């Protein structure tokens, strides 16, 4: 009975094994590979990418999908069937040579970017980037023709299934009506704040040791994961072996410490996915927005809360025993971790400035993929939008402007909106959790397990069994409601 | 013209891309993977192994080999054709399910061994090992039927093409006629030697820094490789990105330092393989014996020479600045690095005891694969041969007896003889090199490049273009002649 369904499951597990190898080799490429290995690695990764693509659109799959009697499936099997079919639809639409060409161009562009960014070398970067953009547009065009969406919406749908650029525009336009005003008020309020600014040397070894201890506090499972260093922090690997990375600045511990909290949120989502669905599309994380909601829950809702900072303080004082302990006193850390100061770098941005970085990228990538602008227009557009949204210039400063992020280097257009959708989901999850648990008291008592159990049961273990909207509804009792984000910001920064 | 040949090349390059991923993920599994990741990794590696096997015996290959007009090939293309065909022959003979089962059983056995060895747990180990032996015997039987060789010879042929166990027996029997006597004389001569024994703490960080500097001296290319830590040192990765590993004992720097020199020899062979043949069987290292000849050339011929130790001494004194410098004075280091002291551990064995370790393993694995003994017989046989060859007991000590090596854990039977063949090749290469270069003067002048250039042109760049015997003949002017090994040992230890 339903032999076709069993065969589909086996096929998707095979695909996941090859993705496993790609994920580990991708981590290796970013975290430990010597630079001379890149050409051979890129060729091997392109070959793998082609093979995964072939498996993902194997001829037999269409027949197997037709042969499944869905009326005989259990509820969770029906969800698994739906996700296998979605995955198949996303893959079959692209020709194999385009997949391979994009993987090769992306790998080349990303690798060179690691050096070019340091040298502010837009000229060099744009030579590789032109090819990535051209291939991404071809991809978007093909996906658009297939789905009936616009070119950019077809890309957005990869990362945020069911979310359109019109919805994103509406939400982002709404944000921009109240957020600049709120940010201005907060900046004004904080003008007279006095606090100790970290100004000593914080060794990589000490930062790393503290980071590991904070990961333990956050119940990261070190039997199934690691922390390493890469030039752009990420969470990779596989659910059974999650690899998070960070970068250390010896002049400052602030970003890296909270960066580890952030990536630990991603990691625990992966580590909490249901083992029973391992290797199947329904067992994967729901969407990039939901993924980001977990990292931002860890960083913004939990990590920067006054109560969590009370826990961090003694750990930091112990690890940075050669440094001035006054820096790490709770009140000082709280001030540091709630300072609002618009800057050029997205990953370093405070919670009130971050959405502007995302809106800017969303508008540029949307127009780039829809063919309204070319890649040569990006630096000028970037500068003008930074001026308008945050009052800052990036003229001639590509390194801290349009070359700062890894996403576009390999053609991941459509990803950026997830960050701000994630921030809104995170605020909504915390509000719902507070109806079930006395979160503040739990943190004060250093009893974090119930918080993770809540997330585990409501989000992590649900994987992709529900659609995005249904997942949010089932976890919080209502659809996405940005007012929780607004409330959270008001409460934290003006409360 | 010869379209079939071009298609064969493309096919073998595809295979090499998948092997690349396996090699990096294999390094990861041994050097950095958290233990909880092993089940998923083993499944992914088994899937890859199956896929590589399928590619290696794809139906179309037989027709392609038939379709090539070899009379129209250049000499190097003819070698490439020969090696592709050899590789195909080795693969096609095994059924896919056996390949997958052996990969899975080997991966499981090897991973558990990493813990079981520490706990001297032969019972636990033998449960996994039984399956590895059973599958390896099936493999040997199938290869034997195909090639007309005996079961063990069919395994030996994988690692040392063209070498039979009868030849190995002859050579090893010859060794055993003069080596025990020589070793006894040397032990007697060294009885009255007085020297400083390392007895302080040598930190991992300092040992690592010294190791890296010695690798630089040996012209290891860090743009195309790395040094890391694993429980059993190995050389992995791919020619463009060679991964060597070591293990550090903080109570002793002696083994680890020379271990790095050894692995650097393997690594430089890989790094020196011809780029133009990258991804093709003819572009790979010739055999395991030739591979070992390079690591042993680096370690025994070059590394432990009195002149090289003169170069090592000041580096060691500088790096171990907290330690007693008298330990690292040239004369003391020379004495340390030429001490003969039969012990239980193969990888720690001195040059005069090492062959006995190999002869013991050769005799056991030959009889195990030929079905003369079972895996349960191993501990007792091991103990009795150790008593007889080196006068040492391993009764009840599996950890330092039959569980000490990684090779058998994944079923690499037939590999061990390569070590002693390699030692003999290395001595012969050095004798030939000394006819072309004033090697002693070059080392004294810290001018090592001509030595590596000689190896590069005679060995590394030749890859598998010649058969093993032809390679040795072309590099030294004669076939394998063990008398160079005997001369070398007499000269170093009694000279």
């Amino acid at each position: 009975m339903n032999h076709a369904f069993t065969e589909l499951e086996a096929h998707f597990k095979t695909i996941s094994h090859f993705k496993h190898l790609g994920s580990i080799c991708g981590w290796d490429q970013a975290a430990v590979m010597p630079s001379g290995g890149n050409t051979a690695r890129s060729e091997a990764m392109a070959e793998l990418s082609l093979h995964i693509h072939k498996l993902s659109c194997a001829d037999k799959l269409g027949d197997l999908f037709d042969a499944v009697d869905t009326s005989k499936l259990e509820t969770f099997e029906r969800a698994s069937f739906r996700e296998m079919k979605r995955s198949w639809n996303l893959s079959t639409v692209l020709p194999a040579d385009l997949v391979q060409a994009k993987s090769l161009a992306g790998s080349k562009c990303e690798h060179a970017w690691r050096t070019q960014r340091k040298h502010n070398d837009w000229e060099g970067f744009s030579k590789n980037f032109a090819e990535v953009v051209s291939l991404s547009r071809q991809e978007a065009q093909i996906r658009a023709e297939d789905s009936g969406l616009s070119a950019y919406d077809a890309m957005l749908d990869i990362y945020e299934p069911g979310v359109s650029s019109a919805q994103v525009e509406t939400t982002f336009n709404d944000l921009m009506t109240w957020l600049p005003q709120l940010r201005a008020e907060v900046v004004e309020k904080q003008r007279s704040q006095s606090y100790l600014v970290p100004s000593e040397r914080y060794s990589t070894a000490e930062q790393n040791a503290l980071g590991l201890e904070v990961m333990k506090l956050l119940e990261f499972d070190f039997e199934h994961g690691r922390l390493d260093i890469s030039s752009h922090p990420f969470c990779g690997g596989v659910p059974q072996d999650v690899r998070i990375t960070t970068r250390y600045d010896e002049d400052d511990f602030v970003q890296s410490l909270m960066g580890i909290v952030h990536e630990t949120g991603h990691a625990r989502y992966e580590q909490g996915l249901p083992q029973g669905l391992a290797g199947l599309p329904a067992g994967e994380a729901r969407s990039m927005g939901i993924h980001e909601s977990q990292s931002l829950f860890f960083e913004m809702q939990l990590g920067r809360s006054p109560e969590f900072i009370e826990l961090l303080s003694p750990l930091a004082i112990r690890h940075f025993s050669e440094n001035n302990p006054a820096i790490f006193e709770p009140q000082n850390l709280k001030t540091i971790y709630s300072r609002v100061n618009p800057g050029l770098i997205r990953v370093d941005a405070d919670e009130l400035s971050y959405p502007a970085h995302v809106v800017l990228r969303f508008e540029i990538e949307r127009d780039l993929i829809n063919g309204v602008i070319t890649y040569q227009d990006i630096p000028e557009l970037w500068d003008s939008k930074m001026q308008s949204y945050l009052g800052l210039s990036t003229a001639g400063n590509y390194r801290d402007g349009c070359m700062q992020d890894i996403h576009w280097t390999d053609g991941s257009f459509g990803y950026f909106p997830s960050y701000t959708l994630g921030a809104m989901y995170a605020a909504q999850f915390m509000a719902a959790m507070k109806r079930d648990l006395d979160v503040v008291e739990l943190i004060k008592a250093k009893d974090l397990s119930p918080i993770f159990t809540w997330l585990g049961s409501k989000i992590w273990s649900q994987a992709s069994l529900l659609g995005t909207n249904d997942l949010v509804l089932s976890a919080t009792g209502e659809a996405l409601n940005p007012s929780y984000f607004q409330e959270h910001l008001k409460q934290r920064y003006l409360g």
Side-chain angles (χ1 to χ4, degrees), chain A:
Chain A
M1 191 93 71
N2 260 332
H3 175 72
F5 184 73
T6 310
E7 208 178 322
L8 279 171
E9 286 189 320
H11 188 83
F12 277 90
K13 284 185 182 178
T14 292
I15 295 174
S16 85
H17 292 147
F18 285 103
K19 286 184 176 170
H20 175 140
L21 302 170
S23 190
I24 295 300
C25 287
W27 168 86
D28 183 278
Q29 198 166 14
V32 298
M33 185 190 75
S35 65
N38 195 59
T39 305
R41 180 67 55 84
S42 299
E43 284 169 11
M45 294 291 267
E47 187 84 55
L48 178 67
S49 178
L50 175 66
H51 182 62
I52 289 172
H53 180 68
K54 276 184 188 161
L55 288 175
S56 303
C57 39
D59 287 340
K60 68 173 182 181
L61 290 176
D63 295 338
L64 287 172
F65 282 117
D66 289 344
V68 172
D69 180 353
T70 52
S71 71
K72 298 213 174 109
L73 297 177
E74 305 286 332
T75 310
F76 80 91
E77 291 174 326
R78 214 165 295 158
S80 186
F81 181 80
R82 181 195 70 219
E83 292 302 317
M84 289 193 279
K85 204 158 181 186
R86 171 178 140 76
S87 167
W88 177 63
N89 284 337
L90 283 173
S91 301
T92 41
V93 72
L94 292 187
D97 57 352
L98 178 60
V99 173
Q100 192 173 24
K102 194 183 167 194
S103 167
L104 207 53
S107 205
K108 184 179 169 191
C109 183
E110 179 189 321
H111 183 73
W113 163 79
R114 294 178 190 281
T115 310
Q116 287 160 342
R117 188 189 168 201
K118 285 183 198 134
H119 299 125
N120 200 37
D121 179 13
W122 167 258
E123 281 305 310
F125 175 74
S126 64
K127 283 191 190 77
N128 293 328
F129 186 54
E131 180 71 4
V132 173
V133 171
S134 160
L135 292 166
S136 298
R137 277 177 174 171
Q138 287 176 47
E139 176 185 355
Q141 204 52 49
I142 292 168
R143 292 192 187 284
E145 276 161 28
D146 179 70
S147 60
L149 300 170
S150 73
Y152 179 71
D153 279 38
M155 296 299 282
L156 186 60
D157 196 65
I158 301 172
Y159 306 102
E160 289 305 318
V163 174
S164 68
S165 60
Q167 287 171 272
V168 174
E169 272 166 37
T170 305
T171 315
F172 286 3
N173 288 343
D174 175 75
L175 271 186
M176 295 305 265
T177 62
W178 53 265
L179 192 55
Q181 175 60 25
L182 176 58
R183 190 174 59 235
E185 278 179 58
V186 173
V187 168
E188 188 52 38
K189 181 189 168 200
Q190 292 185 348
R191 202 177 294 281
S192 57
Q193 245 172 3
S194 85
Y195 67 106
L196 293 170
V197 178
S199 60
E200 300 172 294
R201 191 172 164 282
Y202 306 91
S203 80
T204 292
E206 284 156 349
Q207 291 195 52
N208 192 60
L210 173 60
L212 290 170
E213 186 161 357
V214 171
M215 287 168 72
K216 270 185 205 131
L217 178 62
L218 295 170
E219 300 180 14
F220 179 94
D221 178 359
F222 284 94
E223 280 292 296
H224 293 91
R226 293 176 49 98
L227 169 67
D228 293 276
I229 296 174
S230 74
S231 72
H232 190 105
F234 68 95
C235 172
V238 295
Q240 302 83 353
D241 180 5
V242 179
R243 306 287 172 96
I244 70 172
T245 68
T246 190
R247 57 182 167 213
Y248 296 108
D249 176 355
E250 296 212 322
D251 294 327
D252 191 3
F253 66 89
V254 174
Q255 296 301 339
S256 153
L257 178 55
M258 212 45 86
I260 287 174
V261 173
H262 180 97
E263 297 302 333
T264 300
H266 283 305
R268 293 226 51 198
Y269 187 9
E270 290 289 318
Q271 291 180 334
L273 290 168
Q275 279 292 321
L277 290 170
L280 297 173
E284 294 174 10
R286 176 60 278 180
S287 75
M288 292 305 112
I290 298 296
H291 228 308
E292 198 63 19
S293 79
Q294 297 309 292
S295 55
L296 289 176
F297 186 96
F298 272 62
E299 179 185 356
M300 298 301 179
Q301 302 296 325
L302 174 61
R304 294 181 192 243
S305 70
E307 299 78 24
F308 189 82
I309 287 175
E310 296 274 352
L311 303 181
L312 267 187
S313 170
L315 303 184
I317 289 170
R318 177 155 47 79
H319 281 283
F320 295 122
S321 57
E322 316 254 304
N323 295 87
N324 176 10
I327 290 277
F328 310 104
E329 286 302 328
Q331 191 49 52
N332 200 58
L333 273 188
K334 285 176 201 169
T335 306
I336 287 173
Y337 279 122
S338 59
R339 287 292 291 180
V340 174
N341 184 18
L344 296 177
I345 305 297
R346 176 184 60 84
V347 296
D348 296 343
D350 61 76
E351 207 174 0
L352 289 170
S353 307
Y354 203 105
H357 290 275
V358 169
V359 172
L360 171 157
R361 284 157 178 76
F362 163 68
E363 290 170 349
I364 291 177
E365 69 174 17
R366 178 195 58 198
D367 291 352
L368 182 69
I369 293 301
N370 285 336
V372 178
I373 61 168
T374 73
Y375 71 89
Q376 287 109 326
D377 298 326
I378 294 178
E380 206 179 310
L381 273 172
W382 194 285
D383 181 48
S384 105
K385 284 176 191 288
M386 279 301 283
Q387 296 272 12
S388 150
Y389 298 163
L390 291 172
L392 298 166
S393 168
T394 58
N397 183 358
Y398 310 105
R399 178 174 39 209
D400 301 328
C402 59
M403 281 177 71
Q404 71 183 265
D405 292 308
I406 200 174
H407 306 60
W408 289 349
T409 66
D410 74 347
S412 297
F413 297 103
Y415 188 113
F416 278 119
S418 307
Y419 291 109
T420 293
L421 293 173
M424 295 188 290
Y425 291 135
Q428 186 164 339
F429 291 149
M430 181 55 105
M433 188 186 289
K434 283 182 170 168
R435 292 193 292 268
D436 295 341
L437 302 173
D438 192 341
V439 175
V440 168
E441 281 308 311
L442 287 169
I443 304 173
K444 280 185 182 165
K446 208 173 180 172
D447 179 16
L448 305 183
S449 294
I451 293 172
F452 304 134
T453 303
W454 192 97
L455 291 172
S457 91
K458 303 276 187 182
I459 315 288
W460 307 341
S461 66
Q462 298 307 306
S464 290
L465 290 172
L466 301 172
T468 315
N469 291 330
D470 287 342
L471 177 63
V472 175
L473 186 62
S474 103
T476 68
E478 61 184 312
L480 174 62
N481 179 351
S483 71
Y484 292 107
F485 185 49
Q486 192 174 1
E487 274 314 299
H488 158 72
L489 296 177
K490 279 189 182 165
Q491 165 71 25
R492 173 160 299 164
Y493 295 93
L494 297 177

